[in-house]
Amino acid sequence: MSSNGTSKKIIAIQGDITQQGVDAIVNAANESLLGGGGVDGAIHKAAGPALLEECRTLGGCNVGDAKITKGYQLPAQWVIHTVGPVWRGGNDQEDQLLASCYNRCLEIATEKRLKTIAFPAISTGVYGYPLELATPIAIQTVKDFLQGNTTIQQVIFVCFSLDSYDCYKHFLLEMLPEK
Ligand code: ADP
């Protein structure tokens, strides 16, 4: 499912982010960067143990920030690890911190001159961020960042569940209507 409008660059697919042959995949990590469950566990499993070795050298990562490593055995060349906010009801700067995750990942990708990047639905698993609130923040932040950015050619939202895919399709049509 793709959407034109402001940008032909933003699409959503249903799938497994570890299988995406893009320049960088984004990992929804925790502050230790030393692995976890969900998409984090899947990425470490697919990348192999060398990913954890590199992550050990990074000294963790703050909520809303991101750090890059190589992709090792993944089809993606790079992994950008970001730490989303834990949902605490919405009055704890969750929306700014979530937007910051997407912005920092895109900044790092641009610095590295990467062209294609795949995001999972950051914070919407164990961290409990409601999907229908997180999704428009993800789309708006990416849309705003890509305005005037000539480096990044495609951003793929990789939805693991049908529910999240349906949610992304809904908001992409609403926020990036086909012209
Ligand atoms: P968080 O702790 O940031 O909530 P999770 O890994 O628990 O991170 O969940 C984030 C999102 O990633 C959820 O929507 C979950 O369904 C999704 N997810 C889990 N595994 C994968 C995968 N292999 N590829 C893409 N998305 C995934």
Side-chain angles (χ1 to χ4, degrees):
M1 192 273 170
S2 66
S3 201
N4 292 324
T6 328
S7 169
K8 294 177 190 172
K9 302 174 173 177
I10 303 174
I11 65 167
I13 63 165
Q14 191 182 3
D16 179 346
I17 203 165
T18 66
Q19 293 176 11
Q20 303 305 313
V22 287
D23 293 335
I25 62 170
V26 171
N27 182 15
N30 58 52
E31 285 175 278
S32 76
L33 296 185
L34 298 181
V39 71
D40 195 4
I43 288 172
H44 276 274
K45 187 171 173 208
L51 177 60
L52 182 58
E53 287 313 305
E54 186 175 357
C55 284
R56 284 189 205 286
T57 69
L58 298 178
C61 182
N62 292 326
V63 177
D65 200 1
K67 294 189 177 179
I68 191 166
T69 66
K70 289 185 278 189
Y72 299 97
Q73 293 170 34
L74 289 163
Q77 198 185 352
W78 302 95
V79 179
I80 303 175
H81 307 261
T82 189
V83 185
V86 174
W87 179 256
R88 294 195 170 89
N91 294 317
D92 208 20
Q93 296 192 309
E94 290 96 330
D95 48 358
Q96 295 98 311
L97 290 166
L98 186 64
S100 174
C101 288
Y102 286 92
N103 273 318
R104 286 293 300 129
C105 290
L106 292 165
E107 281 170 14
I108 289 170
T110 301
E111 281 162 24
K112 286 269 188 194
R113 316 300 297 169
L114 307 185
K115 293 185 167 67
T116 53
I117 179 168
F119 283 97
I122 298 165
S123 285
T124 66
V126 171
Y127 281 7
Y129 209 121
L131 192 58
E132 61 280 7
L133 299 180
T135 303
I137 293 172
I139 294 170
Q140 189 66 45
T141 306
V142 168
K143 178 183 167 185
D144 290 347
F145 190 94
L146 292 184
Q147 300 261 348
N149 179 295
T150 53
T151 305
I152 297 174
Q153 290 175 359
Q154 188 157 58
V155 174
I156 304 172
F157 291 114
V158 181
C159 304
F160 201 52
S161 69
L162 186 56
D163 273 1
S164 63
Y165 181 53
D166 285 342
C167 188
Y168 271 86
K169 274 196 297 190
H170 168 82
F171 280 106
L172 280 172
L173 279 172
E174 194 175 295
M175 298 170 71
L176 293 176
E178 309 249 353
K179 293 265 161 44

